[in-house]
Structures are given as C-alpha cells and as structure tokens.
Amino acid sequence: MSKETTETSVDVPEVVHKQSFLSLLVIAATIAITLLQVIVLSSTHLPLGVSGEWAWPRIPSGNTELLAVVFTILLCTGYLTLLWMGSRWFDQSGRVRIAMVLLLLVIASWILIPTLRSVPAGIYGTAGASWVTYYPRMSGYYTAAMNNEETSTEFLAGYEDVVRQGDYLHQGTHPPGLILYFRVLKTICTASPALSKLLIETESQPLHDGLDVVEQLARENGQVFTESHRAVLSLNLWVTSLVAALTVIPLFLITWQFVPFRSAWLVAGLWPLIPSLSVFAPKSDLLLPFFSAWVTACWILSVRRNSIGLSLLAGLIFWFGCLISLAVIVVPVILAVWVILNSLFETMQNDQNRFDKHSVSKLIRGLHWKPAIGSLVVFVVMTLFTALIFKLNLWTIWRLNLQNHATFYDHNTRTYLWWLLVNPLELIFALGPVVTVLVLGTLLTSLKHRVWTSATAWTLAVTIVWSLLWLSGKNMGEAARLWIFLTPLFLSAGGGLLDQCLTNSSFDRSRTFYFCLFICQGIVAIVTVIHIDAFDFSSFLK
C-alpha cells in the first residue's frame, strides 16, 4: 500500500477550492494537448519526424474499419465502467479480491490492445499483424528461429559468431532471447498439433486473410510455410498481447507504493490506452515494458519490505530482460537514482534541511545495499551459468551488441539538434495527452511546493534518467518504439497529480474528472492507430 502521507494546516474548504482549480487546469491542459495531437496526426502536410532522415509514414485515408471503431468505443465504455466500479468496490480490500480485480484488468487489457490494433482496415490492421513478425526486414527473429534446425545448445554456442557479423539493425544488436522465444513457440506448436489446429481454426477473418496472403507469397517464392508456421504466427499475437496486458499488474504495484489504492488502480487502468502499444503490436518491443515494470516493482517492494527474496527475483527478471534487449539496462539506473534521492530527502528531513558529515554517513546507510547486492549476485550467477552450460558468453555478446548499435549512425544520417527537439515531442505522442499531463503536473507541483517524498524521488528519477538518455543522442528516430519500455514507469510517475485531483473531491466531480481524462486518452489512441503506419505497410502495396 502507499507509504506516502500528507499533512496540511489549511482549512478544508480552501484545500477543496485549490484542488478544484487544479482539476480544471489538468482537464484544460489535457483537452488542449488532445486537440493538438489529433490535428497533427490528421494532417498530411506535417512530417512525423525529420524530413530526409526519418519520419513515420501515414496510413492513406479511407483505410478505417468503421464497425471496428464503433466496437472499440463500446469496449472502451465497458472498460471505463469496470475501472470506475473497481475503484469503488475494491478500495483497500483483501489480497484475494484485489488479485481477482487485477485479473479482470489484465483480461480487459488483453482484449482492448488488439482491438485498438484492428481499427485500421486491411493490411494496416489485424490482417497485417502477422506480417510484422514474418518478414525479416521488420525484425528477423521469427525467420531465424523457424529456419534454424540446430538444437538450442548448438544455437546458443554459435550465437556469438552471428553477432560478430556486424548487423546493426536486428540480430547484431540483440541478445538471443527473442530467437529463443520463437523457438519455444515453434516447439509448442510442433509438439501439439491439436493446439496448432485450434489456433488456426480460431483466427479472425482479417487475420485469416492476411495469413493466406503470406502463405501464398511464401509458396510463390519457394519457401516452406506449414501449418506450424501459421500457428506460430497466430500464437505470437496472443502471447505478445497477453504479456503487454500483464504489465498492468506491476504498474499498479509500483504506483501503489506512492499513492493510495484508488489512484493507483485508476492510473494502471490507463495502460491499454497508451498509443504506442496498439500502434506497434505485435512487435517484440511490447514485451519490454513487462520486464522493466516487474524489475521495478520487485525492487521497490524489496526496499519497502526489506525483502532479499524480492531483490533476488528482481535480479532474475532483469537478467531475462537483458537476454531480450539491452534497453532494460536503463531501469537499474532509474532505481539507483530513486534510492539516492530518497535517501537524500529522508536525511535532509531528519536533519532539518542541514547537511554535514554526519548526514553523509546517514545518506550512505540509506542506500539499501543488501537488495542491490542480492540482485547483482543473481544476475552474475545466471550469466556465468549460461557461459558454463550453454557456452554462451553474454558479456561478449552484450559488448558486441552495443558496438553494432553504435554503427547504425554510420549508415543512417541523423542531425543531433533536430532530434533533440523532435524526440520529446514524439514521446508525448507515444504516451498520450493524459500521461503527459500527469507526469509533468506531478513533477511541477512537487517542485513548486517542495514536497520531498519518496514519490517525488521516483518522479524525479524517471525524468532525470530519461533526460540523460534523450541528451545522449542514442536514439535519434523511432523514439516512440525504442522508448516503449519506459512507458509503464512514466505512467507510474504521474500518479501523484491524479491523486491530488481526486482527494477530497465529491463522487460526481471525481467521476467527471477521470472520465474526461479517459476519453481524451482513448481518442488519441484511436486516432493514432488510424493514421500511423508504424511498419510502412504501404511499401508492400507499391
């Protein structure tokens, strides 16, 4: 539960008046950003990036499934009802009831994310979802898994040689985790013909049509495309959406450490409406928020509860995340900054804002060394285990991944100053108007009122580390996709402002406030999937 408490010496009417004004300000800012995003996304004249370097292509007009839009709106309405009823029914309930309602939230998110993806018509929607996985130019991990007949041990032992070839787009910049993931799906579908048959028989009509085209093109090119191939592509859609939906659980747990249950629940409920989730489904990038959020949740809980077990679990999840992508290495940096800031704030409050040599020792003692060491030990042990058992030298592979990634800009022109301007704007579009306002509002109100709490430390940590990543110029282009692993952390960092607006508000005002936020976020999510061709499907039609 939330560890934050707030003390006030002003009259309740004055507090309510200020909170009402703050709520109106939040709604006004959200509506303004919503309108701006809709205008930019709908305009065919404004480049979504930097012209001549990289810009997201747009879906041609007239490629929207109107029935899918209506169904999505109805589904969002039902989902909003679930959120609001859940916030009232399960406030501070027992663990079993909370687990049950979180399960409902996962199931609803599992349905909503692919439903949003189905709004565009034809190849731009569900029909093209399997193409994202199948065609090597978009990733190549599925192809590498399906075409490789080596045993897993042989594959892992030879993976370093693959990375040494210097590919700077896909395999050369990634550890073997994603290929192992598709090998597992392949093994499951091959070993279970009944499951493969079920997956094929339950394909939606758009997905069925899209897979038929893939099968036809594969056979025309002399490539093998069996029922197992088809089943793996279908299973991947289900698994990717499920993993993305499961992220709502650690997101709730993180937020609950800083704000009360009700606010944490409503913040977590915004997760499936993050625009970048539906736009990039079923890209493997949707797996990354799961790892970043669970590492964060386990580690923060380990610090709160002084639990070595949770810190060990955090280290294990982090290792699996690094087996898929090195993007998650940013997460421990954020956690380290949070621990330092949290210890600093506690030390200054206990010493009445004085800072001397005794304060330094208190600061150091408050850095939670045991959980950090526990996570590090698990990470090192797992890395050594794979080296000894599978002959997989992950240290070397990670180093080569970073080297290969650095060569990307030798082959693709990028202007640092332009992307310094564009990347934050792209992040705003990726997060949506509500998340943007909540994060910025939480940060600004905390700094304005000098609220030096653990929640403030968390918001500052996420913001500071992201700022360093932004200024480093490591990601110039496709920031909406490359930073998707940070989206649950940003969302959790915005819980403070939502809680301020809901506290001491009447039922009607709270409902109106949250409904306005939800509707704005939903509008941008739908408009984004209607207009953004995240995988340049148009090139297939030329």
Side-chain angles (χ1 to χ4, degrees):
M1 60 181 294
S2 171
K3 304 296 182 181
E4 307 302 330
T5 58
T6 303
E7 295 182 358
T8 179
S9 58
V10 298
D11 295 334
V12 172
E14 181 181 350
V15 172
V16 173
H17 175 74
K18 289 182 178 180
Q19 289 173 338
S20 298
F21 176 75
L22 180 62
S23 299
L24 290 174
L25 189 62
V26 169
I27 291 176
T30 301
I31 293 175
I33 295 177
T34 300
L35 292 174
L36 180 62
Q37 291 190 355
V38 170
I39 292 171
V40 172
L41 290 169
S42 303
S43 172
T44 58
H45 304 291
L46 297 173
L48 301 174
V50 177
S51 298
E53 296 187 5
W54 170 262
W56 293 106
R58 284 184 166 88
I59 297 175
S61 59
N63 285 283
T64 304
E65 291 282 1
L66 294 181
L67 288 178
V69 173
V70 173
F71 179 74
T72 302
I73 292 174
L74 292 175
L75 186 61
C76 286
T77 303
Y79 179 69
L80 176 58
T81 303
L82 170 66
L83 285 179
W84 191 251
M85 293 172 65
S87 71
R88 295 183 58 79
W89 287 351
F90 296 94
D91 193 3
Q92 302 296 338
S93 297
R95 293 182 180 181
V96 174
R97 296 184 70 185
I98 291 175
M100 289 175 61
V101 78
L102 281 175
L103 179 60
L104 287 175
L105 198 58
V106 169
I107 294 172
S109 299
W110 192 17
I111 297 171
L112 187 54
I113 292 171
T115 300
L116 281 164
R117 184 72 176 84
S118 70
V119 169
I123 190 176
Y124 301 104
T126 303
S130 59
W131 296 36
V132 176
T133 304
Y134 180 79
Y135 285 101
R137 79 171 180 85
M138 296 185 182
S139 62
Y141 309 111
Y142 164 85
T143 304
M146 299 301 290
N147 295 341
N148 191 311
E149 298 301 328
E150 296 177 316
T151 65
S152 295
T153 302
E154 292 171 341
F155 162 72
L156 291 173
Y159 192 75
E160 183 178 327
D161 295 331
V162 175
V163 175
R164 287 189 181 277
Q165 295 175 12
D167 171 52
Y168 57 88
L169 292 176
H170 301 304
Q171 282 185 251
T173 60
H174 282 75
L178 289 173
I179 301 177
L180 288 174
Y181 161 73
F182 281 109
R183 287 175 67 96
V184 170
L185 298 189
K186 175 185 176 183
T187 300
I188 292 172
C189 291
T190 302
S192 178
L195 175 61
S196 296
K197 183 180 179 181
L198 177 63
L199 288 167
I200 294 171
E201 289 179 348
T202 55
E203 293 168 357
S204 65
Q205 190 59 49
L207 177 60
H208 180 81
D209 294 341
L211 284 168
D212 280 350
V213 175
V214 170
E215 183 175 355
Q216 178 184 345
L217 293 174
R219 290 177 175 174
E220 288 177 356
N221 293 325
Q223 299 171 345
V224 176
F225 193 87
T226 64
E227 285 193 353
S228 178
H229 287 73
R230 188 176 188 120
V232 169
L233 290 171
S234 295
L235 182 57
N236 174 61
L237 299 182
W238 286 101
V239 173
T240 303
S241 297
L242 176 59
V243 172
L246 284 168
T247 305
V248 78
I249 297 176
L251 169 59
F252 167 78
L253 293 175
I254 297 167
T255 313
W256 197 16
Q257 301 310 301
F258 305 117
V259 298
F261 175 94
R262 182 190 184 198
S263 298
W265 166 262
L266 293 174
V267 165
L270 295 172
W271 172 247
L273 296 182
I274 297 288
S276 56
L277 290 181
S278 299
V279 167
F280 296 113
K283 200 82 163 63
S284 56
D285 299 85
L286 265 70
L287 304 175
L288 299 181
F290 174 88
F291 291 97
S292 62
W294 270 116
V295 169
T296 302
C298 289
W299 213 84
I300 290 179
L301 285 169
S302 75
V303 170
R304 295 286 201 189
R305 300 178 180 180
N306 195 27
S307 170
I308 296 298
L310 285 171
S311 69
L312 298 178
L313 181 58
L316 182 62
I317 297 173
F318 176 63
W319 183 85
F320 277 110
C322 288
L323 195 63
I324 291 178
S325 172
L326 286 178
V328 295
I329 62 176
V330 175
V331 177
V333 180
I334 294 175
L335 291 170
V337 173
W338 171 69
V339 168
I340 293 171
L341 290 175
N342 193 35
S343 181
L344 176 63
F345 293 165
E346 289 180 353
T347 301
M348 293 182 66
Q349 287 176 357
N350 292 336
D351 292 349
Q352 298 179 344
N353 292 326
R354 289 183 291 104
F355 202 80
D356 52 30
K357 61 180 181 180
H358 299 292
S359 301
V360 174
S361 62
K362 293 179 182 178
L363 173 63
I364 295 174
R365 287 197 302 270
L367 294 183
H368 302 283
W369 295 101
K370 288 183 180 179
I373 293 172
S375 297
L376 181 61
V377 167
V378 170
F379 185 85
V380 172
V381 168
M382 290 298 296
T383 305
L384 293 176
F385 175 80
T386 54
L388 293 173
I389 302 301
F390 298 104
K391 310 300 180 186
L392 178 68
N393 190 337
L394 283 172
W395 298 114
T396 300
I397 288 174
W398 287 329
R399 177 176 56 81
L400 292 172
N401 288 156
L402 294 173
Q403 289 179 359
N404 292 337
H405 180 270
T407 64
F408 174 86
Y409 297 111
D410 295 334
H411 300 84
N412 298 272
T413 302
R414 296 290 188 269
T415 305
Y416 174 78
L417 291 179
W418 274 117
W419 288 106
L420 196 66
L421 173 65
V422 170
N423 275 350
L425 299 177
E426 185 167 325
L427 179 64
I428 291 173
F429 279 81
L431 293 174
V434 175
V435 183
T436 300
V437 171
L438 290 181
V439 174
L440 291 177
T442 300
L443 180 64
L444 293 176
T445 53
S446 297
L447 295 177
K448 177 182 178 181
H449 298 293
R450 298 181 180 275
V451 179
W452 308 124
T453 63
S454 180
T456 303
W458 176 243
T459 305
L460 281 171
V462 174
T463 306
I464 290 171
V465 176
W466 167 78
S467 299
L468 294 175
L469 182 62
W470 163 48
L471 294 173
S472 72
K474 291 293 184 182
N475 303 122
M476 293 186 285
E478 297 189 76
R481 180 180 65 82
L482 296 174
W483 290 344
I484 199 170
F485 72 98
L486 289 173
T487 49
L489 308 189
F490 272 114
L491 186 48
S492 66
L497 182 63
L498 181 67
D499 185 57
Q500 288 183 61
C501 294
L502 294 178
T503 302
N504 294 326
S505 293
S506 66
F507 172 80
D508 290 337
R509 285 186 177 181
S510 297
R511 181 180 58 191
T512 301
F513 173 76
Y514 188 74
F515 280 23
C516 286
L517 296 187
F518 186 94
I519 291 170
C520 287
Q521 186 75 10
I523 288 173
V524 170
I526 294 174
V527 171
T528 301
V529 296
I530 287 175
H531 290 286
I532 301 300
D533 181 7
F535 306 107
D536 197 16
F537 283 124
S538 300
S539 63
F540 282 101
L541 306 177
K542 294 179 181 178

